[in-house]
Amino acid sequence: MFEKTFAKTAGLAILVLTASLATSQAPPAVLTIHADQPVSAVSPTLYGLMTEEINFSYDGGLYAEMVRNRTFRDSWEGVPYWYVLEEGNARAKMEIEHQSGPSEALKSSLRLDVEQADAKNPAGVLNVGWWGMPLRPGSSYKGSFYAKADTGGLGPVTVSLVEDNSGKTVATTRVDGLTTAWSQYEFALKTGAIAPSAANHLVLSVGHAGTLWLDLVSLFPPTYHDRVNGNRIDLMEKLAAMHPAFLRFPGGNYLEGDHISERYEWKKTIGPLVDRPTHPSPWRYHSSDGMGLLEFLGWCEDLKMQPVLAVYAGYSLMGEHVNPGADLEPYVQDALDELEYVTGGTGTKWGAERAKDGHPEAFKLTYVEIGNEDWFDKSGSYDERYAQFYKAIKAKYPDLQLIATTPVKGIRPDVVDDHYYLRATQFFHDTTHYDKTDRGGPKIFVGEWATREGFPTPDFGAALGDAAWMTGMERNSDIIVMASYAPLLVNVNPGGMQWETDLIGYDAMKSYGSPSYYAQVLFSSYVGDHTLGSKVEGGGDKFFYSITGNAAKKHLYLKLVNAASTDQAVEIEMTGAKVASTAKLVSLSAKDTQATNTLTDPERIVPVQNSLHDVSSHFRHTMPGYSIQVIEFDVQ
Ligand code: AHR
C-alpha cells in the first residue's frame, strides 16, 4: 500500500518536474545584427596574459629548471629537496656552509664532507626535483654546477639520472677537473629507450674521501625555441594558443613582496644566474629568479607579446610604504633604469647592460604599470607616489602609457587597472559594467579577473561566468584596452597551489587547460577589430553575446553564451551584409557546471568545430544548455 502510494506520488512529482523543466526553457532570443554598422573599435591588445611567481608558476612550472633548491637557499633550516647518498660502506654528511660561495650574490653553498668513499662505494647528494624529475626517451639534458674541493684529488664528480623505483641509472656522465677554487662545470646527459616518467632523481657523487662544495646545480630539458635558461615546451604551446597580445609581469603581489626588502628587485634578476641572489616571494616559497627581467622579455619575444611592465612603486603587502618625495626618489630612479634596460639603445648605461646580457636589440614598450593594487595602501600615499613616478617617467618617455592601480586624484592616469575575482552569478549580473563608463576618462586595463569556482582549476560553471564577462569586455573594448585572466598557472601537486582557480594546471610531466582556458582560447582566436550594431530581445537572463567584425578578412564573429541548463533558441537577423550559407561553429559545452578537465582527463571539455548550414539573413540557431559558442560568418 505504502509502495503504491509512494509510486503514485513519485510519478506525479516526476510529471510536475518534467512540466516545470519544460516551461523553464528560456524564450527565444531575437538577435538583430547590423553588419554594416560598426560601433566601436576592439582593442588589438584586448586579450593577454598576467603572470607572477605564484602556485609554482615559474620555479616548478614554466621555467624549465629541473633541480629544486639549486642554490640551497629555500630554507634557513636544513637543505630541502636534497639528500645525502651513501652507497655501500661510503660515509658522508652535508650542511650549508655560510662562509663560502661562488659569487657575491651566492655567498653560501652546500658542503659535503665525505668521510669514506671509493669508486665502487661512492658518496654524494641527490635532488628530487619539483615533485619529480621529468625524463623522456631519447632526450638530451644540459646541466651545470659550481664546485670546489678541499684537494684537487677529490673528483671526478659522477652525475647521473636515476629511476626512483628501480634505482636504475638512466643517464650518466663524469665531470673532471675539480680544483680548490670555485668554478663552473657543464655536463650533458642523454636518455635512451626509457618510459616517460617523473619518478627520477639527480645524483652527484664522488669516489674519494674529502670535502666538496656545490652551488647552483642546474639541469634543463629541451626548452621552447631552444632558449638557454628557457621555458617548458608544453606550457608555452598552451599559452601560444591563447594568441596573447601582451604579458603583464612581474606581478601581482610578487612585484610588491611582503616587505619592502622583499620586493621584486629587477637588478638582482639580470645577468648570469650566479649573480642573482634569489629572494623570498610573498607566496610562501623562495624564488630562484631564474625567470628574471630578460627572461620575461624573451618570453614576450617568443610569443610575440608586448611587455606590460609593472614597476615597484613603494608599497609592500604587509602595509609598508615609502613616503613620496625624497624617500621615494631611489625607487623612481630604479624604475627609470629599468625602462632604460628594456628600451634603451646600447649607448645608454642600462641598454649596454642588456646587450652584455645577450640582447642588444631594445624592446618595444607601450605600457608601464605603477605598482599593484595600491588601494590596499591605507596610508593614502598612492596619489602622490603615482604622481612622482608619472612626472619622472613622462619627462623621459612621454609616449609611455602609465597605468594606475587604482583611481587617483590630481593627475589623470592614462589607464586604470581594475581587478575582479567573482562568482559566476556575479559576472552574469555585471556584464554591462562598462557600458556606461565615461569615454572621456582613463582607459581601462582589467589586469586581473577570474570566475573563482573550481580548484585547482576552474570548472565549466566558471567558464560560463568568464565567457559572459568577456562578452561585456569585448563590447566595451573601445575603453578596455587590455584584459588578463589571473592567475594563469598552477602546479597541481600537493602544496603547489596558493590561490584557488587557476587557468592552466600541470605536474612535472603533463599539463592541461581548464574549461576557462578553452573559453579564453575561443574568445581570443575569433575576434574582429570593431563591434557591430546589434540588439537582442527575449532570451533568458543567462544568455549573453558579442558581435565583432573584421572587414579586411570579411568575417563576422558572433559569440554566444548560454549559461542556463536548458536549450536557448536564437533567431538571428542579419542586416547590411550577405553572409555565406555555411558558417563555422565552434562549441564548448558540458552537461553540468561542475564538469571540468584534470591532469588525468585533460580533454573532457574542449572546443568542438562544426559547420552550420542553411545560414541566411534570418535563421534560427539552438544552443544547448551550458554552452559557449562562436559562429564565424563569411561575409560575401
Ligand atoms: O592573482 C592573485 C593575486 O590577486 C595577485 O597577486 C594580486 O594582485 C591579487 O590580489
Side-chain angles (χ1 to χ4, degrees), residues 54 283 420-424 426-427 449-455 457-459 461-463 465-466 485-487 497-502 516:
I54 181 174
W283 295 108
Y420 301 92
Y421 290 109
L422 301 177
R423 306 284 297 184
Q426 292 174 297
F427 274 130
W449 70 271
T451 306
R452 295 191 70 193
E453 291 180 20
F455 86 101
T457 50
D459 57 25
D466 292 346
Y485 186 103
M497 183 188 71
Q498 290 85 49
W499 179 281
E500 283 185 12
T501 319
D502 309 290
S516 289

Side-chain angles (χ1 to χ4, degrees), residues 356-421:
K356 201 170 99 202
D357 294 341
H359 203 288
E361 306 79 27
F363 293 90
K364 192 174 169 323
L365 185 68
T366 303
Y367 293 101
V368 175
E369 181 152 11
I370 314 297
N372 178 59
E373 294 191 339
D374 286 86
W375 66 80
F376 281 113
D377 176 7
K378 299 303 173 220
S379 76
S381 69
Y382 187 61
D383 286 19
E384 282 181 67
R385 288 191 286 112
Y386 180 81
Q388 197 169 333
F389 276 89
Y390 184 98
K391 283 178 194 149
I393 295 174
K394 286 278 182 177
K396 197 162 173 206
Y397 303 99
D399 293 336
L400 283 179
Q401 296 291 291
L402 303 183
I403 304 168
T405 70
T406 187
V408 288
K409 292 187 214 80
I411 283 184
R412 175 189 174 283
D414 299 313
V415 183
V416 172
D417 182 359
D418 288 349
H419 293 179
Y420 301 92
Y421 290 109

